[in-house]
């Protein structure tokens, strides 16, 4: 058994009762094996798409998490592809992401003397490179040439591909992912970032280019 997450985008004209009926039919294919179960279903409802999908600029989003055998997925996906009201879907192995569009961040522990520190004062720790196992929020640039300072806030422990607000901070106005030499994040975080952006674009949560016609 493995843990999976699926994001559905249904036609925006469907109401919640009709969507639930479809979900019951879909999920029945997944829960036939012993130990398989649907662990969570989160209706996001109708949302604006980042670009047009199936001639629609809105879609009804549902995020579900489930546990099943990998062998159940081919038949499950075959049925999904036959549904004309399902505009798009994405199945991924769950890494513990919340069904909401939020990343998991570390708790911030207050540092002694924070209130007395000058916000404009440069701190050597701000310019340190991250350890390979560390992950942090994107940096911001301030001051003169070559001076970089990380954005204030907790480090990102698990980047959620549905977290549009965070992903957008790593993307240029032309829709390109900022390089690691600019963001100063770890190589591992950069790889996860690229994967997350691709998934978000497939789900029309992010545009392929920033000036994409809605």
């Amino acid at each position: 058994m493995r843990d999976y997450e699926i994001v559905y985008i249904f036609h925006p004209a469907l109401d919640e009762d009709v969507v639930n009926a479809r979900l019951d039919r879909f999920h029945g294919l997944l829960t036939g094996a012993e130990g398989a179960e649907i662990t969570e279903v989160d209706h996001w409802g109708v949302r604006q798409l980042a670009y047009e999908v199936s001639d629609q600029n809105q879609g009804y989003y549902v995020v579900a998490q489930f546990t099943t055998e990998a062998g159940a997925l081919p038949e499950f996906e075959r049925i999904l592809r036959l549904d004309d009201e399902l505009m798009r879907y994405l199945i991924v192995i769950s890494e513990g992401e919340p069904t909401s569009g939020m990343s998991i961040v570390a708790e911030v522990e207050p540092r002694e003397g924070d209130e007395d520190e000058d916000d404009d004062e440069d701190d050597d720790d701000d310019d340190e490179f991250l350890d390979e196992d560390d992950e942090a929020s994107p940096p911001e640039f301030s001051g003169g040439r070559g001076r970089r300072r990380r954005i204030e806030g907790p480090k990102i422990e698990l980047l959620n591909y549905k977290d549009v607000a965070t992903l957008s901070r790593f993307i240029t106005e032309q829709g390109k992912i900022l390089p690691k030499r600019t963001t100063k994040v770890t190589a591992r975080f950069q790889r996860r970032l690229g994967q997350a952006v691709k998934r978000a674009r497939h789900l029309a949560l992010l545009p392929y280019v920033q000036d994409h016609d809605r």
Side-chain angles (χ1 to χ4, degrees), residues 51-117:
Y51 55 87
E52 199 171 90
V53 176
S54 300
D55 298 324
Q56 299 295 320
N57 56 19
Q58 290 185 323
Y60 190 111
Y61 283 83
V62 179
V63 184
Q65 294 178 345
F66 59 92
T67 302
T68 193
E69 297 284 357
L73 295 181
E75 177 64 12
F76 176 59
E77 291 197 69
R78 187 185 72 81
I79 297 300
L80 294 182
R81 288 192 291 267
L82 293 175
D83 193 315
D84 294 335
E85 302 298 331
L86 180 61
M87 300 194 300
R88 189 162 290 184
Y89 70 90
L90 177 68
I91 302 174
V92 300
I93 296 174
S94 176
E95 297 181 351
E97 302 97 337
T99 56
S100 66
M102 300 294 291
S103 295
I104 297 177
V105 297
E107 293 185 8
V108 179
E109 297 183 3
R111 294 185 303 172
E112 211 174 300
D114 274 350
E115 296 181 358
D116 298 328
E117 289 181 356

Side-chain angles (χ1 to χ4, degrees), residues 10 14 17-27 83 85:
F10 291 99
L14 301 184
D17 290 339
V18 174
V19 170
N20 279 329
R22 279 178 157 76
L23 293 176
D24 288 342
R25 179 165 62 90
F26 295 159
H27 294 167
D83 193 315
E85 302 298 331

Side-chain angles (χ1 to χ4, degrees), residues 171-176 201 208-211:
I171 299 175
T172 68
E173 293 181 357
Q174 292 74 34
K176 296 182 179 180
R201 284 173 171 164
Y208 282 93
V209 292
Q210 293 297 84
D211 60 349

Side-chain angles (χ1 to χ4, degrees), residues 43-211:
H43 286 254
W44 285 11
V46 177
R47 294 195 175 189
Q48 186 76 20
L49 303 176
Y51 55 87
E52 199 171 90
V53 176
S54 300
D55 298 324
Q56 299 295 320
N57 56 19
Q58 290 185 323
Y60 190 111
Y61 283 83
V62 179
V63 184
Q65 294 178 345
F66 59 92
T67 302
T68 193
E69 297 284 357
L73 295 181
E75 177 64 12
F76 176 59
E77 291 197 69
R78 187 185 72 81
I79 297 300
L80 294 182
R81 288 192 291 267
L82 293 175
D83 193 315
D84 294 335
E85 302 298 331
L86 180 61
M87 300 194 300
R88 189 162 290 184
Y89 70 90
L90 177 68
I91 302 174
V92 300
I93 296 174
S94 176
E95 297 181 351
E97 302 97 337
T99 56
S100 66
M102 300 294 291
S103 295
I104 297 177
V105 297
E107 293 185 8
V108 179
E109 297 183 3
R111 294 185 303 172
E112 211 174 300
D114 274 350
E115 296 181 358
D116 298 328
E117 289 181 356
D118 185 354
D119 290 339
D120 295 327
E121 182 181 355
D122 288 333
D123 186 358
D124 291 340
D125 291 338
D126 287 335
D127 293 329
E128 288 181 359
F129 284 81
L130 302 179
D131 293 333
E132 186 61 33
D133 292 331
D134 279 347
E135 294 175 0
S137 299
E140 65 179 357
F141 297 90
S142 61
R145 180 180 178 183
R147 293 172 59 196
R148 296 177 175 86
R149 177 174 294 179
R150 299 177 198 162
I151 285 178
E152 295 290 335
K155 73 176 183 179
I156 300 171
E157 292 191 336
L158 179 59
L159 182 63
N160 192 337
Y161 66 94
K162 305 181 293 296
D163 186 355
V164 175
T166 296
L167 295 180
S168 297
R169 297 161 73 186
F170 288 92
I171 299 175
T172 68
E173 293 181 357
Q174 292 74 34
K176 296 182 179 180
I177 300 174
L178 289 170
K180 187 168 73 74
R181 66 177 180 273
T182 300
T183 59
K184 298 302 179 185
V185 297
T186 64
R188 184 177 68 169
F189 186 91
Q190 188 75 9
R191 289 193 297 270
R192 290 184 176 180
L193 172 63
Q195 181 186 63
V197 169
K198 288 178 182 178
R199 290 175 174 178
R201 284 173 171 164
H202 174 74
L203 293 170
L205 295 172
L206 284 176
Y208 282 93
V209 292
Q210 293 297 84
D211 60 349

